[in-house]
Amino acid sequence: YFIYFLLFYPHTLILVSSYHQCLFPLHAGGQYEYILVEKRGEKNNVGFIQLNRPKALNALCDGLMREVGQALDAFEVDGDVGAIVITGSDRAFAAGADIKEMQNRTFQECYGGNFLAHWNRVSTVKKPVIAAVNGFALGGGCELAMMCDIIYAGEKAQFGQPEILLGTIPGAGGTQRLTRAVGKSLAMEMVLTGDRISAQEAKQSGLVSKICPVDQLVSEAVKCGEKIASNSKLVSAMAKEAVNAAFELTLAEGNRLEKRLFHATFATDDRKEGMTAFVEKRKASFQDK
Ligand code: HXC
C-alpha cells in the first residue's frame, strides 16, 4: 500500500525525508544528533562544526559535547583538514552547560564520574581551532570558546560567566582562561557578578581578536581557517604548542621549549621548502612532512 501511495504521491517521500532531516541533522557518516559537521573553504580544508540545538540555545548537554569530541577526533586525523571552526547560531554560540541536566546531580556523581572531564578534548586538539561566536557565549559556552585558539565575535555577541547566579562557579576553565585573557579585575567582576560583556568589550580586553558583522562572521572565520590550512600542518601544530606553552610554563622554560620546537622545524621538509620558495621567489608548496 505504501509503494502504491508513493507511486501516486512521490512528493510525500521528499516531505518525509526532509522532516527526518529536520529532526536528525546528520552528516555523511550519519552519527550526529546535536551538531552539523562538514568541510568548508575553497579547498575543503577547514573542518566545520556547528552546534545545532537551537531550542536550548545550544546548551552543552553531555551528548552534544561527546559529539564535538568525536568530530574533532575525525578532523584531527583527516589529512585534508588544516584548521577547524566551531560556531553556533546567530542567537547563541552556546548558553552554557545544560542546567536541566545538571540540576539533580550529586557531588558523589560529579566527583566520582569526573563530570565534564571529556570537555577537555577541545583544548587538546593539535590542529588550530577557531571559535566563531554570535549571540550568547555564557558559562560553559564562554569556556568552550576560550578552549579554542582564536575567537572571532559577531557584533552582537555577549560573553559571560553567570555560574555564580546558579550557586556554582565556572568548571571548564572559566576562572583560569578568562583571567589570563582579560586580566584579574575584569575576570573577577564577570565571575563574581555574572555580568556579561559585549563583543566590543571582549575585543578591547583581548578576549577576541576580531569583530565581524553577524552575517559575515562564519565566512571570516573560515577564511582565517583557510589561511592557516595553507601552511604546513606539522609546523602549525608546533607553533600552536609553543604559544600554548606560554600559559603553562615560566618565561625561561617557555623560551626553551620554543627554541627546541624551532630547531625541530629544521628536521622537516616543509621548513626547507618554505625558505627555498622564498629564495626562489615563488609560493611555497607544503607537504606536511
Ligand atoms: C539548559 C537552557 C540553557 C542552559 C537556555 N536554555 N540556556 N537550557 N541549559 N544553559 C533553554 C531555556 O530553558 C529555554 O528552553 C530556551 O533555552 C530559551 O531560553 P530562554 O531563557 O527562554 O531565552 P531568553 O529569555 O532569550 O534568555 C537567554 C539566556 C537565558 C539569557 C541565554 O536562557 C539564560 O540565562 N540561560 C542560562 C545561562 C547560564 O546560566 N549559563 C551557565 C550555565 S552553567 P525552555 O524549553 O525551558 O523554554 C555552566 C557551568 C559550566 O555553564 C561548568 C563547566 C562546564
Side-chain angles (χ1 to χ4, degrees):
Y1 176 75
F2 186 62
I3 288 167
Y4 170 84
F5 189 76
L6 283 180
L7 274 178
F8 287 93
Y9 304 99
H11 58 280
T12 317
L13 192 59
I14 298 165
L15 280 178
V16 169
S17 133
S18 59
Y19 177 67
H20 187 264
Q21 281 283 313
C22 252
L23 286 178
F24 308 106
L26 304 175
H27 91 318
Q31 75 260 45
Y32 298 119
E33 182 181 353
Y34 300 110
I35 59 176
L36 302 168
V37 179
E38 58 189 40
K39 291 194 219 169
R40 292 222 178 157
E42 264 175 37
K43 294 183 180 158
N44 268 339
N45 54 5
V46 179
F48 186 81
I49 300 174
Q50 182 168 19
L51 312 182
N52 187 34
R53 215 191 151 204
K55 282 189 185 149
L57 301 183
N58 291 333
L60 304 165
C61 60
D62 197 52
L64 187 151
M65 285 308 291
R66 284 192 191 282
E67 290 186 0
V68 168
Q70 286 164 15
L72 290 173
D73 286 345
F75 285 144
E76 188 82 307
V77 296
D78 185 330
D80 296 335
V81 169
I84 298 160
V85 169
I86 301 183
T87 195
S89 67
D90 286 358
R91 188 158 173 234
F93 177 72
D98 190 315
I99 299 168
K100 292 170 189 171
E101 213 175 66
M102 288 187 292
Q103 184 188 3
N104 295 316
R105 273 187 188 265
T106 63
F107 162 76
Q108 287 80 356
E109 285 166 0
C110 289
Y111 188 78
N114 213 357
F115 182 44
L116 300 184
H118 64 286
W119 281 39
N120 208 31
R121 177 67 185 115
V122 183
S123 61
T124 61
V125 179
K126 279 191 167 178
K127 293 181 179 172
V129 186
I130 303 157
V133 176
N134 267 324
F136 300 113
L138 303 179
C142 187
E143 292 172 309
L144 173 62
M146 292 190 293
M147 283 179 201
C148 300
D149 303 305
I150 296 171
I151 307 179
Y152 277 12
E155 281 166 339
K156 301 213 172 101
Q158 292 184 42
F159 297 83
Q161 297 290 162
E163 288 88 343
I164 197 79
L165 307 174
L166 300 168
T168 184
I169 70 168
T175 62
Q176 304 304 300
R177 292 196 178 93
L178 186 66
T179 308
R180 283 164 167 81
V182 306
K184 177 174 165 181
S185 183
L186 182 55
M188 275 291 187
E189 194 179 339
M190 290 170 71
V191 169
L192 294 176
T193 65
D195 284 353
R196 303 174 205 153
I197 59 170
S198 65
Q200 291 70 24
E201 288 168 298
K203 171 83 168 67
Q204 229 168 17
S205 59
L207 181 62
V208 312
S209 57
K210 194 171 193 172
I211 300 182
C212 309
V214 171
D215 59 348
Q216 288 165 33
L217 173 74
V218 167
S219 63
E220 286 296 312
V222 170
K223 261 189 229 162
C224 176
E226 286 182 281
K227 242 187 227 179
I228 292 170
S230 71
N231 297 321
S232 162
K233 294 182 191 68
L234 198 59
V235 179
S236 292
M238 291 186 195
K240 171 169 170 169
E241 187 181 348
V243 174
N244 275 335
F247 295 96
E248 311 271 356
L249 305 177
T250 65
L251 183 61
E253 287 166 338
N255 279 331
R256 191 174 143 79
L257 176 77
E258 179 197 76
K259 192 69 87 258
R260 291 292 169 252
L261 287 167
F262 167 70
H263 290 161
T265 64
F266 283 73
T268 68
D269 294 351
D270 285 342
R271 193 281 317 169
K272 179 102 175 130
E273 162 63 11
M275 293 190 182
T276 304
F278 176 83
V279 173
E280 293 176 355
K281 299 188 188 301
R282 60 173 174 82
K283 201 172 175 305
S285 167
F286 295 117
Q287 304 301 316
D288 308 316
K289 288 199 285 198

